[in-house]
Amino acid sequence: MIAFVLRRLLQSLLVILVVALVAFGLFRYVGDPINNMVGQDTSEIDRAALRQRLGLDDPVLVQFARFVGDAARGEFGLSFRQGRKVSTLIAERLPATLELSFVAALLALIVGVPMGVYTGLNRERLSSKLFLALSLVGISLPTFLIGILLILVFSVLLGWLPAYGRGEVVRLGWWTTGLLTRSGLESLIMPAITLGLFQMTLIVRLVRAEMLEVLRTDYIKFARARGLSNRAVNFGHALKNTLVPVITITGLQLGSIIAFSIITESVFQWPGMGLLFIQAVAFVDIPVMAAYLVLVAVLFVAINLIVDLLYYVVDPRLRLDRSIAGGHRG
């Protein structure tokens, strides 16, 4: 187990270093940072002094090492557009993105797993076919169109929910949440549905396919032959084995939800990291863009590491294979 964790940590560290190299390339090769920080009337002497003060005349390896060291401390310099520390901007926007992403993922799980189980156990019913047809709609429609349709129906026509913003939030230390206020909850409903709908349809189809495959296995037939009830067979045996790949897919999709919440945040003007990144691209705010890349990479790596550990714990075959391999080496 320890060797497994160490190997995953080393792989994760390598991935983060590669992403850090890409982010560093933004600083060095996408335009001149000095031009983004000073005006056109700045003299060459002042430009050279600023370049030397920022260390831009140092060798590339020295600059990269400095960049990695600063990134490890959460420092990415000042935003070219706002003139504030990038770490401060991210700390202000990160709670909104994480709250939206986790609610969307939870919604996808709560709705997707029961629907997948139901359509797998009752595949010939009309309601199951209707659920599968709806899941096709969720996969086919682009995210921005789903968001616009929800705004049209529930904000413009019915006037039930706010069309944009995060609503009233409560500050808990450095963290802010809208889950404790009515306007915050109302503002969260449509963005969470928009962001989680695609993942929910994937979970429905994955659980259904896994349930159909598990129900055809010999040990399920043996369990029925022993006289076990349908509930014990379906939920005690079949569903338990179905959830192993679901854990993997859900973990990977959570990373995708966080990384690709950009469109949803833009449609609903949700004050999160995705909207901050879009604004940074529009103004070529390289420090913010680099920080976003590194932070998303860290989140992806952390989630994948947790998924690998859960997969190792849930699936006894992995532990058995490794114990057998260790016995052969011994």
Side-chain angles (χ1 to χ4, degrees):
M1 180 68 176
I2 297 178
F4 175 77
V5 174
L6 290 177
R7 184 164 55 252
R8 286 291 186 268
L9 286 175
L10 290 176
Q11 293 173 353
S12 302
L13 181 60
L14 179 61
V15 171
I16 292 176
L17 285 176
V18 171
V19 175
L21 180 61
V22 174
F24 172 74
L26 287 175
F27 273 105
R28 184 165 180 85
Y29 299 110
V30 180
D32 187 356
I34 301 300
N35 291 333
N36 294 323
M37 299 177 68
V38 299
Q40 296 181 352
D41 297 334
T42 306
S43 65
E44 291 297 329
I45 296 177
D46 293 336
R47 289 172 181 266
L50 180 59
R51 182 179 297 275
Q52 184 176 8
R53 182 163 60 87
L54 294 176
L56 297 178
D57 294 330
D58 295 337
V60 175
L61 291 179
V62 174
Q63 293 186 47
F64 179 65
R66 185 189 305 120
F67 175 81
V68 172
D70 291 341
R73 297 192 303 271
E75 295 295 336
F76 293 90
L78 297 177
S79 167
F80 293 160
R81 183 171 71 95
Q82 302 188 34
R84 301 172 60 195
K85 294 180 66 174
V86 176
S87 58
T88 302
L89 294 176
I90 291 179
E92 293 174 353
R93 302 293 188 105
L94 184 61
T97 295
L98 291 183
E99 183 173 277
L100 173 61
S101 300
F102 280 112
V103 171
L106 184 63
L107 179 65
L109 272 177
I110 291 176
V111 178
V113 172
M115 283 181 60
V117 173
Y118 179 82
T119 54
L121 296 178
N122 306 279
R123 58 183 180 275
E124 298 300 330
R125 289 190 179 182
L126 179 62
S127 55
S128 297
K129 296 178 180 179
L130 179 61
F131 286 152
L132 290 177
L134 291 176
S135 68
L136 279 177
V137 173
I139 292 178
S140 303
L141 291 179
T143 301
F144 72 89
L145 181 58
I146 294 174
I148 292 174
L149 290 176
L150 289 177
I151 291 174
L152 175 63
V153 174
F154 294 102
S155 295
V156 178
L157 298 180
L158 299 177
W160 291 353
L161 298 172
Y164 62 90
R166 196 183 176 193
E168 184 181 357
V169 298
V170 175
R171 182 172 294 277
L172 304 174
W174 70 273
W175 187 269
T176 58
T177 178
L179 299 177
L180 301 178
T181 64
R182 179 176 178 178
S183 63
L185 290 172
E186 291 176 346
S187 300
L188 184 61
I189 293 175
M190 289 196 296
I193 293 175
T194 302
L195 187 57
L197 187 59
F198 181 78
Q199 281 70 28
M200 183 190 71
T201 56
L202 289 181
I203 292 174
V204 169
R205 292 187 164 273
L206 174 64
V207 173
R208 178 180 183 274
E210 290 293 329
M211 284 291 293
L212 292 176
E213 182 178 351
V214 170
L215 289 174
R216 289 194 294 263
T217 57
D218 291 336
Y219 78 90
I220 292 295
K221 296 177 182 177
F222 179 72
R224 294 189 188 279
R226 289 173 54 198
L228 296 179
S229 65
N230 287 333
R231 179 182 295 273
V233 172
N234 294 334
F235 297 100
H237 292 76
L239 181 59
K240 181 179 179 181
N241 288 276
T242 297
L243 292 181
V244 174
V246 172
I247 291 175
T248 304
I249 296 300
T250 302
L252 296 177
Q253 289 302 315
L254 178 58
S256 300
I257 287 176
I258 296 174
F260 303 118
S261 62
I262 297 174
I263 298 176
T264 302
E265 292 187 5
S266 299
V267 171
F268 292 95
Q269 289 299 293
W270 188 263
M273 288 171 40
L275 184 60
L276 178 66
F277 179 75
I278 288 294
Q279 295 170 347
V281 171
F283 287 90
V284 198
D285 198 344
I286 297 175
V288 174
M289 295 163 60
Y292 182 83
L293 288 177
V294 174
L295 182 59
V296 167
V298 171
L299 290 174
F300 255 109
V301 166
I303 292 172
N304 287 342
L305 180 61
I306 294 173
V307 168
D308 286 339
L309 295 178
L310 288 176
Y311 203 87
Y312 186 88
V313 171
V314 172
D315 194 347
R317 294 171 297 181
L318 292 177
R319 299 193 297 272
L320 181 61
D321 292 342
R322 294 184 185 279
S323 63
I324 293 175
H328 286 323
R329 286 194 297 269

